[in-house]
Amino acid sequence: EQIDAKTIAIVINRKSRIIMADGKKILEKAEQIQKLRPKINIVLQSSAPICSKTVRFLESKGIQLILLK
C-alpha cells in the first residue's frame, strides 16, 4: 500500500501472531521493493500481535511498525 510519495506499507491483516519466520519473509519483500525504489521507506502495518524478537529484528533493519486495531 502506498502511504505517500516516499513510503510504502506492507500490510498484514490476520489474527495469528507474527513470528520471526514471518519477519524474515517481510524483510525479503522489503529488500525487493528497495531494489526497485532505493529511496523508499518501508513500514509494516498489521492488526496482528508481533513477537518482541521480531519487532527488534525488523526495526534493526529499518522497517517501522504501525499497529492497527
Side-chain angles (χ1 to χ4, degrees):
E1 179 177 306
Q2 186 86 31
I3 293 183
D4 59 32
K6 296 182 180 180
T7 308
I8 290 180
I10 297 172
V11 181
I12 298 177
N13 289 320
R14 65 178 188 196
K15 294 187 187 263
S16 61
R17 182 179 204 101
I18 295 174
I19 59 173
M20 186 57 84
D22 299 316
K24 290 178 182 178
K25 291 177 187 175
I26 291 165
L27 180 61
E28 288 175 9
K29 289 178 185 178
E31 288 172 344
Q32 289 175 356
I33 292 168
Q34 288 183 327
K35 282 182 185 176
L36 296 174
R37 298 179 65 189
K39 296 184 180 185
I40 202 83
N41 295 322
I42 306 291
V43 297
L44 172 64
Q45 283 186 340
S46 179
S47 58
I50 304 172
C51 164
S52 61
K53 185 177 175 183
T54 306
V55 169
R56 289 191 304 271
F57 172 73
L58 292 173
E59 288 178 343
S60 73
K61 300 298 183 181
I63 299 174
Q64 298 174 350
L65 305 173
I66 300 173
L67 298 177
L68 305 173
K69 297 211 178 203

